[in-house]
Amino acid sequence: VLQIDRGRIVLPGLIDVHVHLRDFRQKSKETIRTGTMAALHGGITTVFDMPNTDPPITNSETFEFRQATLRGKSYADYFLSFLIAGNCEEAKKVQAGFYKIFMGASTGGIYSEDFESDYACAPGIVSVHAEDARIIREKPERPPEAEVRAIKEALEAAERLKKPLNICHVSTADGMKLITKKNLPWVSFEVTPHHLFLTRKDYERNPLFKVYPPLRRESDRAFMWKNFSKIPLIASDHAPHTQEDKENGAAGIPGLETEVALLLDATNRGMISLKDIVEKMHTNPIRIFGIRNKGLEIGKDADFTIIDMKEEWVVKPEEFYTKARWSPWEGKKLRGKVVMTVLRGSVVMEEDEIIGKPRGVKINAGKG
Ligand code: DOR
Ligand code: ZN
Ligand code: ZN
Ligand code: ZN
């Protein structure tokens, strides 16, 4: 039977600016293959690769090794990063898409002794994990003040240096208020699906939901929804760990395969619009990080995320491509599903199946 109207909708290819693909010595957590297949399955056509790998991407040799590891193996297009922590001379040698700085220790343990000097030396846009090192050493539960203090410091540096800064995974109402009040045009920030859809009550019920920054109060979550229009970027902070590592206290939540669907479900509930999703996962990532080749203008890559707003489905981690076969949303029924992903003109995912070989390429920054 010829179906002339399946009721499907096309979105421009969605971009996740915060993904931990692991690989290297942590292939048991995730590989380039599994992580980027998960991206396509979730409707993400470009991933930003995070550098807190083992070994970490802190010198030009490891950066070149990262490039070689992704080349020909990635199913999604990718934007590469470099981790700055007192190693500025090395940072200047590489052509990274963005530079990551940790103000306090997270997975991998590396953090900056002097945020402002590392930020000052970065040859391109900096994405910062804003949690204050001293506060989290004294208070390992990472209270809101750890984030708020770090955001304050980061904003003061941004005001002085006037160079591009993206603040990762903002989780607190007070942190977000500081950023939006200052409203510096060269400063952006991300919010994750887990901070939008979960609270610390969920963590109290299930210790597997441990994540940095932690899940917060309902009032923080409510503030973010109330001020949703002010959020420039939604990014998963997809952080795969083995079951064993999670049970031993590893922080991180996998998000690539639920992120877009959660937002589609919220759209069906009237909380947001498809325009919001496109703005925060396509238009703004391209603008903020200066990505060439992507966008809706004539002549750009034919990347699309095709969705079915009516399809209802249940989150089943055993059907994930990520090696992190668990999800805070396991068993949740969602209305709205990614049904097809198109990367530079090729159908690369259809009805939960990955189609063809790895076609992902490195994406470069810089206009023109
Ligand atoms: O919970 C987290 N997990 N937060 C981070 O900042 C890093 C991430 C990871 O790499 O596991
Ligand atoms: Zn982080
Ligand atoms: Zn992260
Ligand atoms: Zn299915």
Side-chain angles (χ1 to χ4, degrees), residues 11 52 65 77 91 98 159 184 237 254 262 292 301 360:
L11 304 180
N52 60 333
F65 181 41
D77 282 357
F98 67 108
E159 226 169 3
L184 303 172
D237 194 9
L262 284 165
R292 284 189 280 168
D301 289 351

Side-chain angles (χ1 to χ4, degrees), residues 131-352:
E131 284 193 293
D132 184 82
R134 197 173 41 83
I135 298 180
I136 62 184
R137 245 182 283 121
E138 284 161 15
K139 299 177 179 173
E141 76 281 12
R142 302 177 182 234
E145 69 194 86
E147 172 172 290
V148 176
R149 179 76 204 86
I151 288 177
K152 204 159 178 279
E153 185 187 335
L155 286 172
E156 283 162 9
E159 226 169 3
R160 285 190 286 268
L161 296 173
K162 296 183 176 54
K163 60 183 284 191
L165 181 70
N166 174 52
I167 301 173
C168 297
H169 44 51
V170 173
S171 65
T172 59
D174 288 342
M176 181 165 153
K177 276 179 207 162
L178 286 176
I179 304 169
T180 54
K181 274 218 183 91
K182 272 238 158 90
N183 196 25
L184 303 172
W186 57 91
V187 173
S188 60
F189 67 98
E190 307 157 11
V191 174
T192 71
H194 46 272
H195 292 111
L196 282 171
F197 291 99
L198 305 169
T199 66
R200 66 182 189 193
K201 287 230 165 63
D202 297 293
Y203 169 63
E204 282 156 16
R205 260 180 251 122
N206 190 341
L208 283 193
F209 296 12
K210 178 173 174 183
V211 65
Y212 300 150
L215 301 177
R216 304 295 189 189
R217 292 164 301 203
E218 178 57 28
S219 57
D220 291 291
R221 199 181 82 87
F223 179 86
M224 288 180 179
W225 281 107
K226 193 160 176 266
N227 295 280
F228 196 75
S229 67
K230 294 181 189 158
I231 299 173
L233 299 163
I234 291 182
S236 67
D237 194 9
H238 177 78
H241 292 286
T242 62
Q243 185 76 20
E244 195 192 353
D245 291 347
K246 279 306 285 178
E247 281 161 10
N248 290 323
I253 290 175
L256 280 171
E257 286 162 285
T258 42
E259 170 176 38
V260 175
L262 284 165
L263 296 172
L264 297 179
D265 187 72
T267 303
N268 272 321
R269 291 170 194 276
M271 297 160 75
I272 55 172
S273 70
L274 292 178
K275 196 165 156 276
D276 291 317
I277 301 175
V278 170
E279 176 189 285
K280 295 168 206 312
M281 297 194 69
H282 175 81
T283 321
N284 287 344
I286 290 166
R287 177 181 55 81
I288 289 164
F289 290 90
I291 300 174
R292 284 189 280 168
N293 309 330
K294 305 292 186 196
L296 286 174
E297 299 84 19
I298 292 166
K300 302 290 166 142
D301 289 351
D303 297 349
F304 302 105
T305 301
I306 293 158
I307 57 173
D308 185 330
M309 288 303 286
K310 296 203 179 87
E311 188 170 336
E312 292 191 334
W313 63 290
V314 174
V315 178
K316 291 178 185 154
E318 65 271 23
E319 295 175 355
F320 284 174
Y321 286 88
T322 176
K323 287 194 178 184
R325 291 258 156 84
W326 74 280
S327 169
W329 298 282
E330 171 165 16
K332 191 174 168 63
K333 192 202 259 184
L334 297 174
R335 186 152 177 263
K337 192 172 191 292
V338 173
V339 291
M340 191 188 286
T341 307
V342 176
L343 182 65
R344 279 174 287 99
S346 298
V347 175
V348 289
M349 192 284 294
E350 187 173 11
E351 304 288 353
D352 303 310

